[in-house]
Amino acid sequence: MDHAMHHHTGAAPGATWSMAIRATLHCLLGCAVGEILGMVIGTALLWGNVPTMALAIGLAFVFGYSFTLFAVVRAGVSLKAAVKIALAADTVSIAVMELVDNAIIALTPGAMDAHLSEGLFWYALLGGFAVAFLVTTPVNKWMIGRGKGHAVVHVHH
């Protein structure tokens, strides 16, 4: 059945939904850690919405890249090569995830002004992550099927 699905989607035989889900979960973990940390820091420093979101998005990229970077370095790849691999593997995935997640938060009435102690903040954030996961998974599958994205990492696992 998998072979038939690959034939119809035009994806390479290695581009399974399982691989795409794992790549997206990996991305989601890095994005979530960075984004939540950025929001906690921005809130603690009494920053406004824009600088807090900028910090959160920046940290989402840092943590997303670092998770891949550490795994690839641990596999024996030089730091310089690992940085290139992490950038190639994660940039599109993190960008799509952050775009969708932050759009959900921005479009949820009251979420931008909700505090960390309020349920609305967490519902919007977690809902944004859920929708971002659903949107990013097919993007990752498409990229892996073309030898891009997390496909460049799999040779090092």
Side-chain angles (χ1 to χ4, degrees):
M1 172 112 177
D2 270 349
H3 182 68
M5 287 181 67
H6 294 303
H7 178 71
H8 294 297
T9 63
T16 66
W17 282 107
S18 176
M19 287 176 74
I21 288 168
R22 283 194 312 274
T24 307
L25 285 172
H26 172 96
C27 177
L28 178 63
L29 180 61
C31 288
V33 168
E35 195 161 326
I36 291 169
L37 183 61
M39 291 192 182
V40 168
I41 291 169
T43 299
L45 296 175
L46 303 176
W47 289 359
N49 288 337
V50 172
T52 298
M53 280 187 92
L55 176 63
I57 292 167
L59 288 177
F61 274 90
V62 168
F63 278 89
Y65 287 137
S66 67
F67 286 5
T68 297
L69 184 68
F70 292 134
V72 174
V73 167
R74 196 170 45 241
V77 175
S78 74
L79 182 60
K80 182 178 179 181
V83 167
K84 290 179 183 177
I85 291 166
L87 291 172
D90 293 333
T91 299
V92 172
S93 184
I94 295 171
V96 170
M97 184 143 317
E98 285 301 299
L99 178 69
V100 172
D101 172 48
N102 285 286
I104 296 293
I105 294 169
L107 295 173
T108 301
M112 291 295 292
D113 296 319
H115 296 279
L116 294 174
S117 61
E118 296 178 50
L120 177 59
F121 169 83
W122 293 102
Y123 293 134
L125 182 65
L126 296 176
F129 286 147
V131 173
F133 175 82
L134 294 174
V135 171
T136 307
T137 299
V139 172
N140 281 332
K141 184 178 186 303
W142 182 82
M143 289 179 55
I144 291 167
R146 280 142 191 80
K148 309 237 183 270
H150 270 262
V152 300
V153 173
H154 288 290
V155 298
H156 302 287
H157 284 286

